């Protein structure tokens, strides 16, 4: 009776009943008075005193309102965290879909991937409104298992016969050179010039080791804190200083020790190769500001370690990737075959120089001679041997040497060049001639320069035209820098040919017509260009051997003589 009276009094006093939520539905069974009485009789639960100020009366088994509010706060906090996580997932999904849409639009706008996976880009992106807006497309070369074009062609019997003809002519040329040398000097063969070209290989080894060790420092570019710094203006200046030290140190040692031509070319070409590889590694790690962009651009970029970077420095490509197609094993017969081909190519080139080029280049200039006559005879007599030299140099380096390293390192993608001999324009020739360098220039020079111009509101047509000019000039400067340091003098013939006729010829045949006449024109210009380059560079080198020059690099007279064309000082005095 006392319990019932207490309950009645509480209701009459106007004390509000506690409000129950849906989560407290099981507690609703305790609101029945009879059930409440029986439960209190069997197992009474502690309650607040009805006279305690500020505390509502609780029914048996009911929780305090403070615990319910605390639980609701925890649920709300957990719900907010889940909503934030879902928002992040939605943002990542949106970025993935945007990249998929970007690739789809790129494919719709003539991103053509040919057999050799060379990408011809149209930098248009279709917006949602259907209008074309200038937006740079950054296609990435797809590495896959491929063989070199000549490796596939040599499987054809007719092409293999042409290869056998060139192999058969080597002993005949060698015998011809021996007979000529015997009757002129009393010795069968004179390899003094060949040995001279490869002298000081010990200095070359030391300099190369220093350059390689310096390139290994670039592995630190993948550190998160250093990546953030390198994206800033001071960081870009530090990186430019890093590359300048790499280039200038190689040039200094080459000129300081007066390395002969072949040894100088080894040092300077290796410096260029390491510098371009380091730049690719730098751009792949620094150009993306967020981890999501980096993972979408190159998955697993942070997962590969130092051994992969070491592999990248030796493998025959200038584009950094986290993985490359690999062959299951090394075919040592192919390694030996390519090594023997490289050795025979060097001997072949020496015989061509000794037998056909030197007799015309080493003609002494006399006061009673017609300089223009000597120049024309020298150039035209050197055209065909120079073209053969050009083809052998291509075969020895871009085919034999790169395939040798690809076989040693089990590198699967061996399309280092394309069928440049079938080119119908010089623009096509530049794309197909040296695929290794072209891929690097296209990715890190052309695309980024075009994107920079478009960000400054240049029209797409103008940006692409200026980008092509920029790439040609950059390539010309790099080639001229290598030649000047390796030969020991600045003779900017290659720079003028690239920036003059070479730049004009790239804009010919824009209609994409493919006739035999255009292919003949390309070969005719290559014959003339090779004849001029080999003749004038070799003539300048020969004249300088008999000249007295300053050897101190700190003397300004050295650099004055370095830029003086000795062979042209009196060459055209009668013109």
């Amino acid at each position: 009776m006392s319990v019932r009276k207490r309950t009645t009094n509480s209701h009459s006093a106007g004390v509000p009943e506690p409000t129950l939520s849906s989560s407290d539905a099981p507690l609703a069974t305790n609101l029945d008075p009879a059930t409440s009485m029986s439960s209190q009789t069997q197992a009474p639960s502690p309650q607040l005193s009805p006279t305690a100020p500020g505390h509502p009366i609780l029914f048996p088994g009911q929780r305090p309102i403070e615990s319910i509010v605390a639980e609701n706060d925890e649920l709300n906090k957990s719900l907010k965290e889940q909503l934030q996580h879902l928002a992040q997932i939605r943002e990542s999904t949106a970025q993935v879909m945007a990249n998929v849409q970007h690739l789809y639009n790129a494919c719709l706008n003539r991103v053509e991937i040919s057999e050799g996976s060379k990408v011809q880009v149209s930098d248009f992106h279709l917006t949602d409104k259907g209008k074309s807006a200038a937006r740079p497309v950054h296609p990435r070369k797809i590495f896959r298992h491929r063989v070199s074009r000549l490796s596939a062609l040599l499987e054809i019997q007719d092409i293999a016969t042409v290869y056998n003809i060139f192999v058969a002519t080597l002993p005949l040329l060698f015998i011809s050179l021996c007979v000529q040398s015997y009757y002129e000097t009393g010795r069968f063969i004179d390899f003094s010039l060949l040995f001279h070209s490869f002298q000081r290989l010990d200095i070359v080894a030391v300099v190369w080791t220093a350059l390689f060790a310096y390139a290994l420092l670039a592995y630190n570019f993948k550190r998160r804190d250093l990546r953030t710094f390198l994206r800033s203006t001071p960081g870009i200046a530090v990186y430019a200083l890093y590359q300048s030290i790499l280039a200038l140190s190689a040039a200094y040692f080459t000129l300081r020790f007066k390395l002969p031509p072949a040894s100088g070319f080894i040092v300077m070409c290796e410096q260029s190769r390491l510098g371009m590889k380091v730049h690719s590694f730098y751009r792949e790690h620094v150009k993306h500001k967020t981890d999501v962009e980096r993972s979408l651009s190159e998955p697993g970029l942070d997962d590969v370690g130092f051994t992969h970077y070491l592999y990248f420095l030796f493998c025959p490509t200038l584009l950094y990737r986290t993985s490359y197609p690999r062959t299951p094993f090394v075919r040592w017969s192919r390694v030996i075959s390519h090594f023997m081909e490289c050795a025979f190519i060097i001997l072949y080139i020496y015989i061509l120089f000794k037998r056909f080029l030197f007799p015309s280049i080493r003609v002494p200039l006399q006061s009673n001679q017609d300089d223009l006559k000597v120049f024309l005879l020298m150039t035209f007599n050197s055209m065909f041997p120079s073209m053969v030299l050009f083809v052998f140099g291509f075969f020895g380096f871009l085919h034999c040497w790169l395939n040798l390293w690809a076989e040693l390192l089990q590198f699967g993608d061996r399309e280092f060049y394309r069928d440049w001999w079938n080119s119908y324009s010089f623009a096509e020739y530049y794309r197909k001639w040296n695929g290794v360098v072209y891929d690097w220039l296209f990715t890190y020079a052309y695309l980024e320069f075009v994107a920079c111009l478009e960000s400054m509101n240049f029209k797409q047509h103008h940006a692409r035209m200026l980008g092509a000019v920029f790439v040609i000039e950059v390539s010309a400067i790099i080639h001229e820098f290598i030649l000047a340091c390796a030969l020991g003098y600045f003779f900017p013939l290659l720079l003028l040919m690239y920036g003059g006729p070479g730049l004009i010829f790239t804009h010919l045949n824009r209609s994409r017509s493919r006739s035999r006449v255009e292919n003949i024109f390309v070969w005719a210009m290559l014959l003339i260009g090779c004849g001029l380059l080999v003749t004038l560079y070799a003539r300048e080198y020969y004249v300088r051997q008999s000249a007295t020059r300053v050897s101190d690099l700190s003397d300004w007279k050295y650099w004055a003589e370095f830029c003086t064309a000795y062979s042209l000082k009196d060459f055209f005095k009668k013109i």
Side-chain angles (χ1 to χ4, degrees):
M1 293 297 291
S2 60
V3 173
R4 182 176 300 177
K5 182 178 180 181
R6 185 182 303 165
T7 306
T8 305
N9 292 335
S10 64
H11 282 284
S12 62
V15 178
E17 295 184 5
T19 303
L20 298 177
S21 63
S22 59
S23 61
D24 299 323
L27 300 178
T29 57
N30 297 330
L31 297 179
D32 185 39
T35 308
S36 176
M37 290 174 59
S38 61
S39 62
Q40 287 182 0
T41 304
Q42 295 176 359
S45 59
Q47 298 181 12
L48 293 175
S49 173
T51 59
H55 291 277
I57 297 176
L58 300 177
F59 292 103
Q62 184 179 356
R63 294 180 297 171
I65 190 65
E66 292 83 2
S67 65
I68 297 175
V69 172
E71 183 177 354
N72 288 337
D73 292 337
E74 292 178 359
L75 290 174
N76 290 333
K77 183 179 180 181
S78 177
L79 182 60
K80 289 181 180 179
E81 292 177 353
Q82 292 180 2
L83 289 176
Q84 291 177 357
H85 183 63
L86 289 175
Q88 293 177 356
I89 295 177
R90 184 174 61 182
E91 182 181 357
S92 301
T93 305
Q95 290 179 353
V96 172
M97 295 303 297
N99 279 273
V100 173
Q101 182 67 25
H102 179 65
L103 292 176
Y104 176 74
N105 289 328
C107 292
L108 290 180
N109 288 273
R110 296 188 302 110
V111 175
E112 302 169 355
I113 301 179
S114 62
E115 294 178 322
S117 186
K118 296 294 185 302
V119 186
Q120 310 300 326
V121 183
S122 176
D123 295 334
F124 279 104
H125 177 78
L126 292 181
T127 60
D128 294 336
K129 297 181 180 180
K131 297 180 180 180
S132 61
R135 179 176 177 179
V137 179
H138 298 279
R140 298 172 64 82
K141 178 180 177 178
I142 302 174
F143 287 90
R144 57 185 179 180
H145 287 279
R146 286 175 293 196
V147 298
S148 297
R149 183 60 61 93
L150 287 180
S151 298
L153 291 177
L154 289 175
E155 299 294 331
I156 304 174
Q157 184 61 41
D158 295 336
I159 305 299
T161 301
V162 176
Y163 174 83
N164 296 336
I165 291 173
F166 279 98
V167 174
T169 57
L170 178 60
L172 298 179
L173 285 176
F174 184 75
I175 294 173
S176 173
L177 182 62
C178 291
V179 172
Q180 181 185 12
S181 177
Y182 176 76
Y183 283 107
E184 290 180 356
T185 63
R187 294 181 298 178
F188 280 104
I189 191 63
D190 182 15
F191 287 109
S192 59
L193 183 61
L194 180 63
F195 294 149
H196 167 74
S197 299
F198 287 94
Q199 283 182 348
R200 301 197 170 187
L201 290 179
D202 53 341
I203 297 177
V204 172
V206 173
V207 173
W208 181 89
T209 304
L211 295 176
F212 185 78
Y214 186 71
L216 293 178
L217 298 177
Y219 180 73
N220 293 315
F221 291 165
K222 70 181 299 181
R223 290 170 44 190
R224 183 183 297 271
D225 55 343
L226 196 56
R227 290 201 309 264
T228 305
F229 169 73
L230 289 174
R231 279 194 291 267
S232 62
T233 303
I236 295 175
V238 170
Y239 173 72
L241 179 63
Y242 174 89
Q243 285 282 13
S244 300
I245 292 174
L246 180 64
L248 295 178
S249 60
Y252 172 77
F253 287 115
T254 302
L255 297 175
R256 171 66 179 81
F257 293 102
K258 297 181 180 179
L259 296 180
S263 301
F265 272 111
I266 292 174
V267 173
M268 296 308 301
C269 289
E270 281 297 290
Q271 174 271 319
S272 300
R273 184 183 69 88
L274 293 174
M276 296 167 78
K277 282 178 175 285
V278 166
H279 184 74
S280 177
F281 184 81
Y282 160 79
R283 290 299 297 150
E284 293 300 322
H285 283 84
V286 174
K287 68 180 179 181
H288 303 294
K289 296 183 179 180
T290 64
D291 293 337
V292 175
E293 292 179 355
R294 298 176 74 247
S295 61
L296 291 175
S297 174
E298 185 67 23
L301 196 59
D302 295 326
D303 298 336
V304 294
F306 179 76
T307 55
H308 183 75
Y309 177 68
L310 195 63
Y311 175 84
F312 167 66
L313 291 181
F314 283 99
C315 70
T317 182
L318 299 176
L319 301 182
Y320 180 78
R321 297 289 186 272
T322 56
S323 63
Y324 299 99
R326 305 285 293 273
T327 56
F329 53 86
V330 178
R331 295 172 293 183
W332 291 103
S333 60
R334 293 288 184 92
V335 174
I336 297 174
S337 174
H338 289 312
F339 179 79
M340 296 298 295
E341 286 174 336
C342 290
F344 279 114
I345 285 295
I346 294 175
L347 182 60
Y348 221 142
I349 291 175
Y350 174 73
I351 292 175
L352 285 174
F353 262 107
K354 191 76 174 178
R355 183 70 177 85
F356 299 102
L357 292 174
F358 283 171
S360 59
I361 293 173
R362 299 175 66 175
V363 172
L365 291 178
Q366 301 176 3
S367 58
N368 57 351
Q369 285 183 318
D370 187 351
D371 296 334
L372 180 60
K373 174 184 175 182
V374 174
F375 171 74
L376 292 177
L377 290 177
M378 187 185 308
T379 302
F380 282 101
N381 290 336
S382 303
M383 279 185 183
F384 184 74
S386 300
M387 192 66 216
V388 177
L389 182 71
F390 170 78
V391 174
F392 284 169
F394 152 76
F395 182 78
F397 179 73
L398 290 177
H399 180 76
C400 301
W401 182 253
L402 295 184
N403 272 284
L404 185 152
W405 280 99
E407 191 65 45
L408 280 175
L409 299 175
Q410 300 175 250
F411 188 78
D413 195 341
R414 304 181 183 182
E415 191 179 60
F416 309 119
Y417 54 89
R418 296 167 66 191
D419 56 335
W420 59 268
W421 48 88
N422 294 327
S423 299
Y424 291 87
S425 66
F426 273 89
E428 182 182 4
Y429 164 76
Y430 289 145
R431 291 194 298 267
K432 293 181 176 181
W433 154 250
N434 188 342
V436 179
V437 176
Y438 170 77
D439 291 334
W440 187 92
L441 289 172
F442 180 78
T443 303
Y444 300 112
Y446 175 78
L447 287 180
E448 296 191 359
F449 188 77
V450 169
C452 179
L453 292 180
E454 291 185 345
S455 66
M456 295 186 292
N457 297 325
F458 276 76
K459 293 183 178 180
Q460 188 217 14
H461 174 71
H462 296 160
R464 295 183 65 183
M465 183 176 63
L466 293 176
V469 174
F470 174 74
V471 168
I472 292 175
E473 297 303 326
V474 167
S475 177
I477 291 173
I478 293 176
H479 282 79
E480 194 61 53
F481 176 70
I482 294 174
L483 283 172
C485 296
L487 297 178
Y489 55 87
F490 179 64
F491 193 76
L493 178 62
L494 185 64
L495 183 63
L496 294 176
M497 293 184 66
Y498 265 93
L503 188 60
I504 296 174
F505 291 158
T506 56
H507 292 83
L508 298 179
N509 190 23
R510 307 296 290 184
S511 62
R512 297 180 180 270
S513 62
R514 303 177 69 85
S515 64
R516 181 177 298 179
V517 176
E518 291 161 347
N519 183 252
I520 294 174
F521 173 78
V522 171
W523 276 100
M525 294 300 102
L526 287 177
L527 276 168
I528 297 174
C530 290
L532 287 173
L533 287 174
V534 174
T535 300
L536 294 180
Y537 274 104
R539 178 69 182 180
E540 177 69 19
Y541 183 83
Y542 170 72
V543 171
R544 282 175 173 266
Q545 300 309 305
S546 58
T548 303
R549 295 181 296 162
V550 180
S551 60
D552 187 7
L553 272 66
S554 61
D555 192 346
W556 68 270
K557 293 182 179 180
Y558 174 88
W559 299 106
E561 295 175 353
F562 183 82
C563 299
T564 301
Y566 279 74
S567 60
L568 299 180
K569 290 174 64 177
D570 300 323
F571 204 71
F572 296 106
K573 61 182 179 180
K574 297 182 180 180
I575 299 178

